[in-house]
């Protein structure tokens, strides 16, 4: 099982703060996880998780969609952070 957390505008757009899922055998990377979530939840998720500006963390470490996942991992999706 992995824990997935959605933050800020992503959480609002998806109307979902977090979920726990059993990692399917064919899902090995964050990119495959995103595809799985889009298939599971539908079009609105494709619009949000398919955005090129999506930021990703696995186990509190910033990464990209090529990151390999293991059972017990925690994945977080959030929008880019701006400062000023």
């Amino acid at each position: 099982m992995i824990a997935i957390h959605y933050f800020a505008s992503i959480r609002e757009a998806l109307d979902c703060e977090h979920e726990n899922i059993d990692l399917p055998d064919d899902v090995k990377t964050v990119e495959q996880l995103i595809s799985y979530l889009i298939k599971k939840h539908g079009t609105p998720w494709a619009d949000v998780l398919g955005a090129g500006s999506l930021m990703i963390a696995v186990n509190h470490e910033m990464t990209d969609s090529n990151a390999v996942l293991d059972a017990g991992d925690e994945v977080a999706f959030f929008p880019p952070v701006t400062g000023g």
Side-chain angles (χ1 to χ4, degrees), residues 30 56-64 67-69 73-76:
V30 172
I56 304 162
V58 175
N59 300 325
H60 304 274
E61 297 284 331
M62 295 303 301
T63 190
D64 61 27
V68 176
L69 298 173
D73 282 347
E74 180 180 81
V75 178

Side-chain angles (χ1 to χ4, degrees), residues 26-60:
D26 62 336
V27 174
K28 307 283 187 212
T29 66
V30 172
E31 182 176 18
Q32 292 169 335
L33 174 63
I34 290 169
S35 294
Y36 171 79
L37 292 170
I38 289 169
K39 277 192 226 176
K40 178 180 175 186
H41 294 295
T43 302
W45 290 64
D47 295 340
V48 174
L49 297 180
S53 60
L54 183 70
M55 300 203 53
I56 304 162
V58 175
N59 300 325
H60 304 274

